[in-house]
Amino acid sequence: MLIQRLATAMVLLPALLALVWFAPTPVVFVVFALTGTVIAWEWGGLMHLPAPWARRGYAALTGVILGLAWFTPLRDAWLAWLLLPVALWWLLVPLLFRGFPGNLQRHPIAPPLMGLLGLLLVASTILSLAWLHAQPDGALKLLYLLFLVFAADTGAFLAGRNFGRRKLAPMISPGKTVEGAIGGLLLCAAWALTGGVYAFGVAGSELGWLLALSLLVALASIVGDLVESMFKRLGGIKDSGNILPGHGGLLDRVDSILAAAPLMVLGLQLTGL
């Protein structure tokens, strides 16, 4: 399993870095949008859609919405209005963790609402990534965001493995600890104070805003991971798919980015960084 995970990562990571660094924004958007349709297919599994045609239809609808959004003001002028309800979801969804699983077993989220939620999360993420890439030095800023998420995950793994004692959300993800989350945040703070300064060219109060935003985004990435685990446990699913050997599905790999990207872009727009 470990060898499979490493082999998959060694193939995908260089391809992702090359795409972000060398490709123009329209190409980046197309690749990410196609990825979004696969994520939507896997989200359909979390919804327990009754037939393959329903999941294919849901994935196709997501692709159509992404394509239409690219050619409308939603891509730029209206993006913040799309990100506001998504940000609200990520800020409030931890309230569901405390009573899980009984709360969602007694009051499950209706399939239409789950479908709408999936569309919002996927569309907001893909459009946010494309928006960030289109900014001045956008490739650098997008790489900063991606490595911020990687830092949160890596720091949490290392700190949790060596110092983890208190469970963060035992009914959702027993392996995650409070100490691990703190370790992830500390590594993200170091990344913000080094990579962030280079990517955004900030100093003084602007650096303070970037540090605060980066820590909020890092927290959101942890929440994103927990939310997908919550829905998988609720549905009795181990992995969202099997497209990535050793990793599971695409949703298993990008759950943190679904939360991090919209909050990062909304924060950049609100702070003017």
Side-chain angles (χ1 to χ4, degrees):
M1 181 67 74
L2 178 59
I3 294 177
Q4 280 188 322
R5 290 175 67 91
L6 291 175
T8 302
M10 289 177 64
V11 171
L12 291 182
L13 184 57
L16 175 62
L17 296 179
L19 173 71
V20 171
W21 192 254
F22 294 109
T25 299
V27 174
V28 171
F29 174 78
V30 168
V31 174
F32 285 169
L34 291 174
T35 303
T37 62
V38 178
I39 296 170
W41 162 269
E42 294 177 352
W43 187 271
L46 297 182
M47 294 166 56
H48 294 286
L49 291 177
W53 65 264
R55 292 180 68 178
R56 287 193 291 267
Y58 183 70
L61 176 62
T62 302
V64 170
I65 289 174
L66 284 169
L68 292 174
W70 179 256
F71 295 103
T72 68
L74 184 62
R75 174 181 160 191
D76 292 308
W78 297 348
L79 181 58
W81 294 104
L82 173 66
L83 298 182
L84 283 172
V86 174
L88 188 63
W89 159 261
W90 289 118
L91 293 173
L92 294 180
V93 71
L95 296 175
L96 295 177
F97 296 166
R98 186 176 181 84
F100 183 83
N103 53 358
L104 290 182
Q105 289 173 341
R106 292 189 299 270
H107 307 287
I109 301 176
L113 288 179
M114 274 291 288
L116 178 60
L117 176 62
L119 287 172
L120 282 174
L121 297 184
V122 172
S124 64
T125 298
I126 303 303
L127 291 172
S128 294
L129 295 173
W131 181 91
L132 189 56
H133 190 270
Q135 302 309 299
D137 295 321
L140 200 58
K141 293 174 180 176
L142 180 51
L143 290 177
Y144 171 79
L145 169 62
L146 296 176
F147 279 96
L148 181 69
V149 174
F150 298 159
D153 187 53
T154 302
F157 174 77
L158 294 176
R161 185 168 186 176
N162 290 283
F163 308 109
R165 296 292 183 272
R166 292 169 292 175
K167 299 299 184 182
L168 182 63
M171 297 303 295
I172 297 174
S173 185
K176 288 184 172 56
T177 63
V178 173
E179 293 81 3
I182 294 172
L185 292 177
L186 289 175
L187 187 57
C188 287
W191 175 239
L193 295 173
T194 52
V197 171
Y198 180 72
F200 289 89
V202 295
S205 62
E206 287 187 336
L207 178 57
W209 280 111
L210 180 64
L211 175 61
L213 176 59
S214 297
L215 291 176
L216 177 62
V217 169
L219 275 172
S221 74
I222 297 172
V223 171
D225 191 358
L226 289 172
V227 166
E228 197 225 353
S229 296
M230 179 178 71
F231 285 138
K232 287 193 298 185
R233 284 192 174 274
L234 195 64
I237 299 172
K238 182 180 183 295
D239 295 318
S240 65
N242 55 14
I243 193 172
L244 300 177
H247 291 267
L250 275 175
L251 185 56
D252 295 321
R253 295 299 92 206
V254 304
D255 47 12
S256 297
I257 296 176
L258 288 178
L263 283 178
M264 185 72 181
V265 169
L266 181 61
L268 291 174
Q269 292 184 345
L270 292 176
T271 59
L273 292 175

